[in-house]
Amino acid sequence: MTKIFVGSLPFDTTEDQLHEMFKAFGQVASAKLVTDRETGRSRGFGFVEMANDAEAQAAIQKLNGSNVGGRQIAVNVARPMEKRDDRGGRGGGGGFGGGGGGRDKGRGGGGGGFKRW
């Protein structure tokens, strides 16, 4: 079974359309769009699982860089999610004008809280 990443999709793409796009190349086990937790809207990418590796490679070859709804999509083998380090994260905010710290791998911390006038 091969899991395929599909990116740069138009935001109005449905899971049925995603499934149909790949069905032309073989058996599609699943087609899922990733949606925003708060709004439920598509985030413009998804994943397709195909049962046969050769069919998945054929789909990747034909669909990568193709035009869907005016957008050039990216199609490739999905990589495993990177494991997050417990020490990583976004950094917290400071209180009352404080700088805010956090350990965001050298990218600065959060903003200050309330400003004193």
Side-chain angles (χ1 to χ4, degrees):
M1 179 105 40
T2 301
K3 190 170 189 175
I4 302 168
F5 168 82
V6 186
S8 297
L9 289 166
F11 294 106
D12 60 354
T13 303
T14 66
E15 286 183 353
D16 287 340
Q17 291 170 326
L18 187 60
H19 187 277
E20 286 296 316
M21 204 183 314
F22 282 82
K23 188 170 94 171
F25 299 96
Q27 182 182 355
V28 176
S30 69
K32 302 285 181 197
L33 289 172
V34 176
T35 56
D36 183 270
R37 282 186 224 172
E38 293 180 22
T39 65
R41 292 180 52 186
S42 170
R43 294 187 59 200
F45 68 95
F47 296 92
V48 174
E49 284 186 311
M50 296 188 74
N52 181 298
D53 292 342
E55 292 171 351
Q57 288 301 322
I60 291 168
Q61 288 290 316
K62 285 287 190 180
L63 294 174
N64 187 38
S66 65
N67 188 322
V68 175
R71 297 187 68 158
Q72 185 176 356
I73 64 171
V75 182
N76 49 52
V77 175
R79 293 179 291 175
M81 264 181 70
E82 291 181 13
K83 193 172 183 180
R84 291 194 82 167
D85 186 343
D86 285 341
R87 295 172 301 170
R90 291 255 180 207
F96 295 105
R103 296 182 292 217
D104 195 17
K105 298 188 180 170
R107 291 190 288 262
F114 296 100
K115 268 191 172 178
R116 288 194 180 165
W117 300 83

